[in-house]
Amino acid sequence: MRTVRARSALIIMSALLLAVAAADSEVDCSAMRTKELRKWLAARGLKCEGCAEKADYVTLCEQNKDAPLLPPEEPPADAGKGKDQSIEDLLASMKGMPGMEGIKMFTADDLKNMNPEQMGASMGGRGGRKSRAEWRDELVDFYSRYGLDDKIAGVDAALDKWKGRESRMFDALYKKYDVEIRAKSDAAAKDEV
């Protein structure tokens, strides 16, 4: 009786394996979406270099229908390590990275203890907002410096229009009057020589 059960189990297992293998070999590559094709190919260790269209993936799939599945990769032992690190540990690990020299790393406590002026000053800002009078003086100076004296009469209107976005206004001015600024710079450079 035992041998009959063992044989039955063996026959059932063999049938299942054959069914899985047959189903895998009967893959309809053209019915799969591109994303599915990429996954199917990746599971077999294949990558479609230079594939631009679905037809390229289908062709590679058709050519490799009999390619065996690769065993699933084990995640690295330290894969979950980053989730448990504190922000201070992450920042400390970044300090030795190329390009990170001279960069101040702020912790949450550093930022909590700063007022907006300190935060702006420590992060490259000027440490506070300019008053309308300061913006007006800067705009008048800009127009005077680059020979645009006819624009000085419209300074207050420009400040009203750009209220709260004065830095963007100056970016736009430097872009708009680039030719005049370069001409003035070139003239100043010639005068120095």
Side-chain angles (χ1 to χ4, degrees):
M1 189 72 160
R2 258 189 176 165
T3 57
V4 173
R5 283 187 186 169
R7 277 189 188 163
S8 299
L10 185 60
I11 292 171
I12 292 172
M13 292 280 280
S14 300
L16 283 173
L17 287 173
L18 287 173
V20 169
D24 206 26
S25 65
E26 294 176 18
V27 172
D28 186 6
C29 297
S30 59
M32 283 193 249
R33 293 177 179 225
T34 307
K35 186 175 183 180
E36 293 169 337
L37 285 165
R38 274 190 254 128
K39 283 183 182 180
W40 189 88
L41 292 168
R44 285 150 182 81
L46 302 170
K47 189 171 184 180
C48 195
E49 297 291 333
C51 292
E53 297 180 3
K54 180 181 175 181
D56 300 328
Y57 288 99
V58 171
T59 302
L60 187 63
C61 176
E62 295 288 344
Q63 292 171 352
N64 293 288
K65 276 188 173 181
D66 59 341
L69 278 170
L70 295 178
E73 291 184 18
E74 296 279 332
D78 62 343
K81 181 181 172 188
K83 293 181 182 176
D84 297 335
Q85 282 185 316
S86 70
I87 193 73
E88 284 80 14
D89 294 338
L90 289 171
L91 291 174
S93 68
M94 290 172 60
K95 282 191 177 179
M97 293 174 68
M100 298 297 288
E101 307 87 18
I103 292 180
K104 171 79 170 113
M105 298 290 184
F106 295 97
T107 64
D109 292 331
D110 293 335
L111 298 175
K112 284 180 193 172
N113 297 328
M114 287 185 195
N115 64 37
E117 288 79 24
Q118 290 172 323
M119 197 176 297
S122 64
M123 294 185 192
R126 55 175 242 99
R129 294 192 173 153
K130 292 182 184 180
S131 67
R132 181 180 172 92
E134 290 172 316
W135 283 116
R136 187 178 197 294
D137 291 344
E138 190 171 336
L139 188 53
V140 168
D141 181 52
F142 175 86
Y143 286 143
S144 300
R145 185 176 332 129
Y146 298 115
L148 302 165
D149 296 323
D150 57 316
K151 304 285 185 188
I152 292 176
V155 166
D156 290 318
L159 289 173
D160 289 339
K161 178 182 176 184
W162 291 88
K163 184 176 182 179
R165 300 176 298 137
E166 290 88 354
S167 294
R168 289 187 186 160
M169 175 185 67
F170 274 97
D171 291 341
L173 286 171
Y174 281 109
K175 188 175 181 179
K176 181 177 180 178
Y177 295 111
D178 186 53
V179 173
E180 289 84 350
I181 294 169
R182 288 179 190 267
K184 189 75 167 181
S185 297
D186 292 344
K190 286 180 183 176
D191 290 343
E192 288 180 8
V193 176

